[in-house]
């Protein structure tokens, strides 16, 4: 991660196909496109890669989450359980539908704690959304069982985990619906883009129509198509899809590189007493997009993070102190700072955030550092980096 590091002639060729015939739209223009259907081809390629029946390509990962929820009928006033540690897109996507994000603790997988999920279920709960943060996953069997028992929709945000698996199944393909992002920094990039995947034909049809103004996509005359329900424009362009099409074919190569770099760094750090690693559930295989490790306490994590910055170790994050990924700094959500009025129902639904504490999440996130694994490093660079990281950690812990 990120895939842009290794752009090659493969991406250039796919983009040129689109520029050569001038059709940037993914639907229609049949006579002009010279047989090029990049979005459709990317959907087919993703269906094979992710071992799923249906893929709907959309404009972003954030859109994918909104569309996944909407496709299964989640909307106004419904509660959606989500983790305290994720990207802000999770609650944005829920609130766009007038639904209520219910934040709960994570465990040492850095994903939803099944016990916290079960404790948060109310008669208004409609869905549980696990976010497979930093290339790994939550306890999928336990979470799936809770959803079955309580008849809840199960959604998997695998935006940061493409290429990871659980019991041999691709992450994103395990829940009722899976969401992916192909934004500029993801392992597979389109520039901007995302996907909803599912084995449910009804959810898929809904996602297909909803992401294109409600068009039913029957026949090949867009003007004559009907609109079974209201939609919006969450389409991806052919240019974006072209980049992704070249990239996704290279996923096995990217994962292999990530794993190699990750392993060198992890082996080096694991020699240090006091350093531990996140739990990967039994049967799980990470995508190796990030290496996450724990230090003994908040103070040592802050020290190591500062030492990394001083010593040029870039792309490592202490999420406890950053604005994007952890509930601690989500003041705009807690204070309900919205451009447009939020419904009384959602306001009431969010009141719990004024007082709720996340001690168990703090326990993990305060001590966690998360290092992005780059694709473009040479083996020599990774080894030097490993040495420097070990020095920084040892010094901070001494
Ligand atoms: C990147 C990301 C998103 C949002 O994807 P965009 O394509 O940037 O909208 C959602 N969830 C997670 C976990 C992400 O990392």
């Amino acid at each position: 991660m990120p895939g842009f590091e290794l752009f090659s002639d493969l991406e250039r060729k796919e983009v040129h196909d689109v520029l050569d015939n001038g059709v940037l739209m993914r639907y229609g223009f049949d006579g002009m496109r010279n047989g090029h259907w990049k979005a459709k081809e990317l959907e087919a390629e993703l269906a094979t890669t992710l071992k799923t029946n249906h893929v709907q390509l959309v404009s972003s990962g954030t859109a994918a989450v909104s569309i996944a929820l909407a496709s299964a009928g989640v909307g106004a006033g419904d509660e959606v359980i989500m983790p305290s540690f994720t990207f802000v897109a999770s609650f944005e996507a829920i609130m766009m539908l007038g639904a209520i994000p219910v934040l709960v603790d994570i465990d040492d997988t850095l994903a939803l704690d099944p016990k916290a999920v079960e404790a948060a279920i109310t008669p208004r709960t409609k869905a549980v959304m696990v976010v497979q943060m930093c290339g790994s996953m939550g306890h999928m069997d336990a979470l799936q069982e809770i959803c079955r028992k309580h008849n809840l929709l199960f959604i998997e945000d695998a935006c940061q985990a493409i290429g990871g698996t659980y019991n041999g199944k691709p992450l994103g393909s395990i829940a009722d619906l899976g969401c992916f992002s192909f934004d500029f920094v993801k392992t597979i990039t389109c520039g901007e883009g995302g996907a909803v995947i599912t084995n449910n034909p009804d959810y898929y049809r809904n996602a297909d129509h909803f992401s294109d103004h409600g068009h039913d996509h029957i026949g090949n005359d867009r003007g004559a198509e009907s609109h079974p329900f209201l939609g919006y424009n969450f389409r991806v362009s052919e240019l974006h899809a072209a980049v992704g099409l070249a990239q996704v074919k290279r996923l096995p190569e990217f994962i292999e590189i990530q794993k190699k770099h990750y392993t060198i760094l992890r082996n080096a750090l694991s020699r240090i007493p006091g350093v531990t690693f996140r739990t990967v559930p039994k049967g799980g295989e990470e995508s190796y997009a990030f290496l996450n490790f724990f230090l003994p306490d908040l103070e040592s994590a802050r020290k190591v993070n500062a030492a990394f910055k001083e010593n040029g170790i870039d792309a490592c994050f202490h999420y406890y102190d950053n604005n994007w990924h952890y509930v601690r700094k989500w003041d705009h959500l807690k204070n309900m700072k919205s451009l447009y009025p939020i419904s009384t129902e959602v306001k009431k639904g969010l009141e719990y955030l004024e007082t709720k504490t996340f001690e168990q999440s703090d326990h993990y996130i305060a001590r966690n550092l998360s290092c992005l694994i780059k694709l473009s490093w040479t083996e020599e660079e990774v080894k030097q980096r490993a040495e420097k990281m070990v020095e920084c950690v040892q010094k901070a812990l001494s």
Side-chain angles (χ1 to χ4, degrees):
M1 190 166 164
F4 74 74
E5 292 178 277
L6 299 187
F7 277 162
S8 68
D9 286 344
L10 296 167
E11 285 80 4
R12 283 180 203 106
K13 184 210 164 278
E14 297 291 346
V15 171
H16 277 145
D17 284 349
V18 177
L19 293 177
D20 287 347
N21 64 43
V23 180
L24 306 183
M25 168 65 158
R26 66 155 302 176
Y27 299 111
F29 298 87
D30 297 28
M32 282 173 65
R33 39 193 335 138
N34 248 337
H36 293 310
W37 298 89
K38 300 303 181 187
K40 278 199 176 110
E41 283 176 45
L42 176 52
E43 285 168 348
E45 196 69 37
L46 282 165
T48 307
T49 302
L50 300 170
K51 299 183 184 158
T52 186
N53 289 348
H54 306 290
V55 177
Q56 180 62 43
L57 214 56
V58 297
S59 51
S60 73
T62 312
V65 177
S66 279
I67 295 163
L69 290 165
S71 298
V74 178
D78 293 334
E79 292 178 0
V80 179
I81 295 177
M82 58 162 274
S84 60
F85 171 55
T86 176
F87 183 52
V88 291
S90 300
F91 59 77
E92 289 170 348
I94 294 166
M95 290 188 60
M96 274 306 276
L97 301 170
I100 300 162
V102 175
L103 276 55
V104 306
D105 270 324
I106 55 155
D107 60 21
D108 59 359
T109 63
L110 300 182
L112 280 181
D113 174 9
K115 281 197 230 73
V117 169
E118 196 143 35
I121 294 171
T122 75
R124 302 174 70 164
T125 308
K126 270 287 174 62
V128 173
M129 179 162 67
V130 63
V131 184
Q132 317 290 32
M133 282 300 278
C134 309
S136 189
M137 70 216 79
H139 290 288
M140 296 301 285
D141 282 346
L143 292 167
Q144 197 154 33
E145 188 47 38
I146 291 168
C147 291
R148 240 181 242 136
K149 193 168 119 194
H150 296 271
N151 197 24
L152 302 173
L153 184 75
F154 190 26
I155 306 256
E156 206 180 343
D157 175 342
C159 289
Q160 295 190 6
I162 193 165
T165 59
Y166 179 74
N167 289 337
K169 288 185 192 159
L171 295 181
S173 75
I174 299 154
D176 298 312
L177 293 130
C179 305
F180 289 89
S181 164
F182 307 118
D183 80 19
F184 39 88
V185 288
K186 297 302 203 276
T187 303
I188 297 301
T189 185
C190 291
E192 297 278 9
V196 178
I197 73 169
T198 184
N199 287 325
N200 182 310
D202 295 328
Y203 297 163
Y204 165 65
R205 189 200 52 232
N206 290 344
D208 167 90
H209 297 9
F210 185 59
S211 57
D212 184 26
H213 304 292
H215 271 279
D216 66 9
H217 296 147
I218 294 169
N220 59 3
D221 178 1
R222 271 181 79 74
E225 285 177 22
S226 65
H227 304 93
F229 50 77
L230 296 168
Y232 202 75
N233 178 5
F234 290 118
R235 289 187 310 257
V236 75
S237 83
E238 285 286 278
L239 276 175
H240 291 89
V243 177
L245 183 58
Q247 287 255 299
V248 78
K249 292 176 183 166
R250 304 173 68 193
L251 182 62
E253 171 198 341
F254 289 179
I255 299 299
E256 199 184 307
I257 296 170
Q258 285 181 173
K259 184 172 183 177
K260 200 170 82 193
H261 294 172
Y262 170 110
T263 305
I264 292 171
L265 297 180
R266 178 167 177 147
N267 286 346
L269 288 172
S270 63
R271 294 196 311 262
I272 308 173
V275 170
T276 54
F277 298 91
R278 83 191 298 177
T279 296
V280 177
K282 195 167 161 286
E285 172 90 11
E286 294 183 66
S287 76
Y288 306 100
F290 291 82
L291 174 65
N292 283 271
F293 60 98
F294 299 114
L295 292 146
D297 49 39
L298 172 60
E299 198 199 342
S300 52
R302 279 186 171 142
K303 261 197 209 163
V304 172
N305 190 45
F308 280 177
K309 294 222 154 70
E310 277 160 30
N311 289 276
I313 303 293
D314 62 344
C316 286
F317 309 99
H318 186 212
Y319 291 120
Y320 191 75
D321 285 336
N322 102 3
N323 287 342
W324 286 85
H325 294 87
Y326 189 48
V327 61
R328 187 168 162 261
K329 297 269 188 139
W330 292 339
D331 289 334
H332 62 318
L333 171 67
K334 292 179 209 168
N335 300 327
M336 295 180 234
K337 294 280 184 203
S338 173
L339 199 55
Y340 49 86
I342 304 178
S343 75
T344 317
E345 199 176 25
V346 172
K347 271 193 187 148
K348 254 183 94 62
L350 285 173
E351 272 171 9
Y352 72 96
L353 281 173
E354 285 169 22
T355 50
K356 188 173 164 79
T357 55
F358 294 89
E359 278 125 31
Q360 184 177 304
S361 305
D362 285 343
H363 174 71
Y364 295 112
I365 297 300
R367 299 180 300 119
N368 175 256
L369 292 185
S370 182
C371 294
L372 182 77
I373 303 295
K374 290 199 184 168
L375 293 167
S376 57
W377 290 330
T378 63
E379 194 169 324
E380 198 43 47
E381 281 171 333
V382 185
K383 285 181 177 157
Q384 280 171 8
R385 189 180 175 88
E387 259 173 51
K388 259 200 220 167
M389 285 171 74
V390 167
E391 265 172 42
C392 290
V393 176
Q394 277 173 336
K395 209 163 144 200
L397 293 187
S398 65

